[in-house]
Amino acid sequence: RTLLPRDHERAQTLARGLAAIDGLHVDLAAVETNIIMADLQRGEPSGLLAELARHDAKAAAVGPRRVRFVTHRDITDEGVQSCLRAVRAWAAAKD
């Protein structure tokens, strides 16, 4: 039995949560798998990645203002929520 459909569901949850955070842009229509691309509207990926690390979450910079998030079988629903809390903390610090 494959867990990939659950990964995709979690990716949709993460993508919707990221899209709702001020300072990020996520093209929800482009999220078709377990990969989410988020474009920072301010700041640099390094600051966001550092905040994620403080919350035991990971992502990768894939451009000067783009960050890639990936869900996989080791990411739980709580992991998605923890990631969203970290991104919200990063966004709040930018105000």
Side-chain angles (χ1 to χ4, degrees):
R1 155 178 125 91
T2 179
L3 299 176
L4 197 56
R6 189 66 185 119
D7 294 341
H8 291 182
E9 289 172 25
R10 286 188 175 113
Q12 288 293 324
T13 300
L14 181 58
R16 286 190 303 273
L18 292 171
I21 297 172
D22 187 41
L24 288 182
H25 172 73
V26 175
D27 180 357
L28 294 175
V31 180
E32 298 178 350
T33 64
N34 61 325
I35 298 171
I36 304 106
M37 296 294 188
D39 293 308
L40 307 185
Q41 296 173 326
R42 59 181 187 253
E44 304 220 355
S46 60
L48 175 55
L49 298 180
E51 187 64 34
L52 287 167
R54 284 190 282 279
H55 288 80
D56 293 323
K58 296 179 184 176
V62 292
R65 295 221 179 238
R66 180 167 274 197
V67 175
R68 183 184 71 178
F69 295 83
V70 179
T71 59
H72 54 79
R73 67 181 181 182
D74 295 328
I75 305 296
T76 63
D77 290 335
E78 174 52 34
V80 169
Q81 294 308 312
S82 179
C83 181
L84 289 171
R85 284 191 294 274
V87 178
R88 287 186 199 109
W90 168 83
K94 293 290 180 190
D95 293 336

